[in-house]
Amino acid sequence: MKRRHFSSALLATSAWLSQSTAWAQALFKAGKDYFPLDRPVATDVDKGKIELIEFFWYSCPHCNAFEPTFAQWIKTAPKDVVVRRVPVAFRDDFAPQQRLYYALEAMGLLEKLHAKVFAAIHVDKQALNTETAIADWVTKNGVDKIKFMETYKSFGVASKIKRAVQLQNDYKVEGVPSFGIAGRFYTDGSIAGSMERAIKVAESLIAQSR
């Protein structure tokens, strides 16, 4: 593209982004549909990328109900959006499921077993809230128990949990499922009115962050 054409396209794009931002700000209000953070949170993405975090808890029925919708959204997410899931720990007894998530992530098993964890808890009514219960479950699902437990108790998983707790606190997470957007904004179903609307809020904030 020639410089003159590029400049024209750039101006048109800038105008469109300005209109999009104005539209988003008109439709969704800070303090009502989302909350800007007092202090920006460092994101783990490359320059030019926008981070979207879903905070969740495997035993949360709302997270379970939202998972299929969010999983489908991820498939069509803009290419400059990096989606991360962060398991929360509002109490100490949430920690085993945090370790479960990050152990599965470290072993490359999230695509295979993430949805199955939700199903085990909410359909099969398995608690999966203790180390023993989790170890038995992953073994029944074809995972090497010794290797899994080594990963489950590893320094790498412990470091991920520490970072998860920090993010939970930095975003001032009030409930799950919820979103942290671009290290700058927070919203959830209670604030936005529903998780489906929270996705729309997140999309507008992503556009604004560009």
Side-chain angles (χ1 to χ4, degrees):
M1 181 179 289
K2 294 182 180 179
R3 184 186 298 272
R4 178 170 57 83
H5 293 158
F6 176 80
S7 298
S8 298
L10 183 61
L11 288 171
T13 300
S14 297
W16 179 83
L17 288 173
S18 178
Q19 291 173 354
S20 297
T21 300
W23 173 82
Q25 291 175 336
L27 184 62
F28 303 118
K29 300 294 186 181
K32 180 182 178 183
D33 301 301
Y34 65 91
F35 292 112
L37 301 187
D38 296 331
R39 293 186 301 174
V41 176
T43 59
D44 296 326
V45 294
D46 296 333
K47 185 177 180 180
K49 300 290 185 178
I50 301 168
E51 183 178 70
L52 174 73
I53 296 175
E54 184 215 17
F55 294 97
F56 79 98
W57 174 39
Y58 276 126
S59 290
C60 166
H62 302 293
C63 297
N64 176 59
F66 180 59
E67 176 59 26
T69 299
F70 188 56
Q72 184 61 40
W73 184 88
I74 291 173
K75 294 178 182 179
T76 58
K79 294 185 182 300
D80 63 345
V81 175
V82 177
V83 178
R84 295 177 56 204
R85 289 183 170 95
V86 172
V88 301
F90 294 135
R91 304 189 306 263
D92 290 343
D93 59 345
F94 285 33
Q97 290 185 1
Q98 281 185 310
R99 285 189 175 274
L100 168 60
Y101 177 83
Y102 286 121
L104 293 178
E105 181 183 63
M107 296 178 72
L109 294 172
L110 279 178
E111 185 173 351
K112 177 182 178 182
L113 295 179
H114 179 68
K116 288 186 177 182
V117 177
F118 279 114
I121 294 169
H122 298 279
V123 179
D124 300 333
K125 306 303 180 183
Q126 300 180 50
L128 297 191
N129 58 2
T130 66
E131 179 181 313
T132 300
I134 287 170
D136 289 344
W137 183 81
V138 296
T139 302
K140 290 177 182 178
N141 279 271
V143 180
D144 183 277
K145 185 175 182 178
I146 293 176
K147 184 177 180 181
F148 175 81
M149 292 311 300
E150 288 176 351
T151 307
Y152 183 87
K153 297 180 179 181
S154 68
F155 175 78
V157 166
S159 297
K160 289 289 186 72
I161 290 174
K162 184 177 180 180
R163 175 61 174 157
V165 172
Q166 180 183 349
L167 285 168
Q168 176 184 321
N169 292 334
D170 288 346
Y171 274 102
K172 300 179 181 179
V173 176
E174 293 293 329
V176 288
S178 54
F179 291 137
I181 304 106
R184 297 167 54 198
F185 309 104
Y186 171 84
T187 192
D188 61 31
S190 296
I191 297 168
S194 69
M195 282 308 299
E196 287 70 21
R197 193 168 185 273
I199 289 179
K200 298 300 182 183
V201 174
E203 288 174 340
S204 74
L205 293 172
I206 287 169
Q208 181 176 331
S209 298
R210 293 191 181 100

